[in-house]
Amino acid sequence: MQKLYIYIVEDNPLIAYALKSMILKMGHNICGSAECYDEAVKDLKGMHVDLVITDIMLKGRESGIDLAHYINRNLHIPFVFQSSVTSIEMIDLANQTHPNAFLPKPVSKTEMIKVLAEIAA
């Protein structure tokens, strides 16, 4: 399986750490991380990224859904939502961005392996 360069957008430091640790143990690379939309957009503009994993609810005004729209318009790279959001309306808005996957929190290792294998294939 190809090693992926993964960028994580998560405003909870403990969850971000757990995701990074899980991904590194699977043999992939973490090329960066952010807690908010603005920071992610700034980083992603000049970086080689194979996959963005983003929470829906982020610090600041913009959400992970806004980030997904930015990625679709400007970067054209795969992205995955990971979230504890259960609102049908919010999930519908997220799905309208056509994510590669939607992982419920807490993200299970089995689901992460499956998603990363599909992206790396």
Side-chain angles (χ1 to χ4, degrees):
M1 176 175 24
Q2 165 192 345
K3 274 187 162 187
L4 297 172
Y5 288 87
I6 300 171
Y7 190 89
I8 297 173
V9 188
E10 170 59 61
D11 61 354
N12 181 314
L14 293 175
I15 294 172
Y17 176 80
L19 285 171
K20 289 175 187 177
S21 179
M22 181 187 302
I23 290 165
L24 290 171
K25 286 178 185 173
M26 292 177 188
H28 298 286
N29 301 298
I30 302 298
C31 58
S33 64
E35 294 183 350
C36 67
Y37 172 93
D38 292 332
E39 188 180 346
V41 167
K42 180 183 167 197
D43 285 351
L44 290 169
K45 283 181 182 178
M47 189 179 281
H48 167 74
V49 178
D50 297 312
L51 174 68
V52 174
I53 298 175
T54 184
D55 193 0
I56 290 178
M57 305 308 291
L58 301 173
K59 285 184 180 177
R61 202 175 55 144
E62 288 89 0
S63 69
I65 295 170
D66 296 313
L67 181 60
H69 285 298
Y70 174 83
I71 290 169
N72 285 335
R73 280 190 313 270
N74 301 289
L75 303 174
H76 313 290
I77 57 175
F79 63 92
V80 171
F81 286 116
Q82 55 93 29
S83 185
S84 57
V85 168
T86 57
S87 159
I88 297 299
E89 294 83 15
M90 190 68 77
I91 291 170
D92 284 345
L93 286 172
N95 283 329
Q96 289 174 23
T97 66
H98 306 288
N100 290 73
F102 191 102
L103 299 170
K105 286 182 183 179
V107 176
S108 77
K109 182 178 178 182
T110 304
E111 287 299 312
M112 183 66 78
I113 288 170
K114 181 177 145 189
V115 166
L116 297 182
E118 288 174 10
I119 301 294

